Amino acid sequence: MATTVFLSPAKLAPQGRRLAGAKTPGRVRIPPARAQPQEQQVKEAEAADVPPPAQGVEEPEKARKGDAQSLPRQPLAESKNMSREYGGQWLSSATRHVRIYAAYIDPETNAFDQTQMDKLTLMLDPQDEFAWTDEACQMVFNEFQDLVDHYEGAELSEYTLRLIGSDLEHFIRKMLYDGVLKYNMRSRVLNFSMGKPRVKFNSSQIPEAK
């Protein structure tokens, strides 16, 4: 079975503190230059005395340095700060397929170290509703790391974690619609939370009824 736990550095500021120049949490993102209207690109190019890019030709995107890598496992990790007195400090975001915790959770022993709030643990599809491959998991891990990088410096709060979790849910839905991900037909409960399966067929392949 594919690994469905991913550890990432939080890169977020503790509650009550924000780094200078931190990004404001929200779904509004500045579009890249290639997505701006052509007239605006021409005006900016004229102001900078640089020829505008040819229409229909996009600038190459910045290549990814590689797949996102999970932080190394801590075999000696133990559950800490799990008592009631620390309950108000627990930060998490839990949706149907994405659970994000501001803590270190061991992928094998499930040790929950709440003192390591400088790490984010992603638990992917804990109910096994989808049939995950290593490639599909890595796509979600890459998107998760990109989102964490996008919110770098923002306040470490449940609101920020919910924004990341919601974006991941939309990304998983897109993977399902694109055929990259499939439902796990051996799941304990089949309720098709992201829509009923769609079967594509070519009518020319159906033998004629006699």
Side-chain angles (χ1 to χ4, degrees):
M1 181 179 176
T3 302
T4 55
V5 177
F6 185 83
L7 294 167
S8 170
K11 298 186 179 181
L12 304 176
Q15 283 186 314
R17 296 173 53 189
R18 282 197 63 180
L19 303 181
K23 300 182 179 71
T24 302
R27 297 189 180 281
V28 179
R29 301 183 183 178
I30 301 176
R34 64 178 183 278
Q36 296 177 0
Q38 185 70 19
E39 295 180 0
Q40 184 177 351
Q41 292 188 37
V42 173
K43 292 181 180 179
E44 293 178 355
E46 291 177 350
D49 197 18
V50 177
Q55 188 173 1
V57 178
E58 297 184 354
E59 297 179 0
E61 295 184 3
K62 187 177 181 180
R64 175 184 287 276
K65 295 181 180 179
D67 288 334
Q69 300 295 326
S70 179
L71 295 177
R73 179 175 174 263
Q74 303 176 15
L76 302 180
E78 299 179 355
S79 297
K80 299 178 182 178
N81 284 19
M82 298 299 294
S83 58
R84 180 178 300 178
E85 59 183 310
Y86 295 103
Q89 300 179 15
W90 298 346
L91 294 177
S92 64
S93 170
T95 59
R96 177 65 185 268
H97 309 104
V98 176
R99 297 181 183 179
I100 304 174
Y101 300 91
Y104 172 82
I105 302 179
D106 191 277
E108 297 184 10
T109 64
N110 293 326
F112 199 119
D113 188 353
Q114 192 67 41
T115 63
Q116 300 189 43
M117 297 184 66
D118 59 333
K119 300 177 179 63
L120 295 180
T121 299
L122 166 65
M123 301 182 69
L124 183 61
D125 192 17
Q127 298 180 351
D128 293 330
E129 184 175 8
F130 300 110
W132 292 96
T133 63
D134 291 334
E135 292 76 12
C137 285
Q138 190 62 55
M139 291 176 63
V140 178
F141 295 157
N142 290 342
E143 181 70 10
F144 174 64
Q145 188 62 61
D146 289 344
L147 289 169
V148 173
D149 294 341
H150 174 75
Y151 290 111
E152 180 177 359
E155 183 180 35
L156 176 58
S157 63
E158 290 190 351
Y159 175 69
T160 306
L161 297 183
R162 285 198 300 268
L163 289 175
I164 296 175
S166 179
D167 283 344
L168 281 181
E169 284 283 358
H170 288 296
F171 184 75
I172 293 174
R173 182 189 300 273
K174 182 178 182 300
M175 291 175 61
L176 180 65
Y177 288 173
D178 291 344
V180 179
L181 196 60
K182 298 180 180 179
Y183 282 110
N184 177 16
M185 304 308 293
R186 296 184 179 181
S187 178
R188 183 173 59 88
V189 178
L190 292 175
N191 58 2
F192 306 120
S193 62
M194 289 192 170
K196 295 181 180 180
R198 303 178 181 182
V199 180
K200 295 182 178 180
F201 63 90
N202 189 337
S203 59
S204 62
Q205 298 176 356
I206 301 178
E208 295 180 2
K210 296 182 180 179

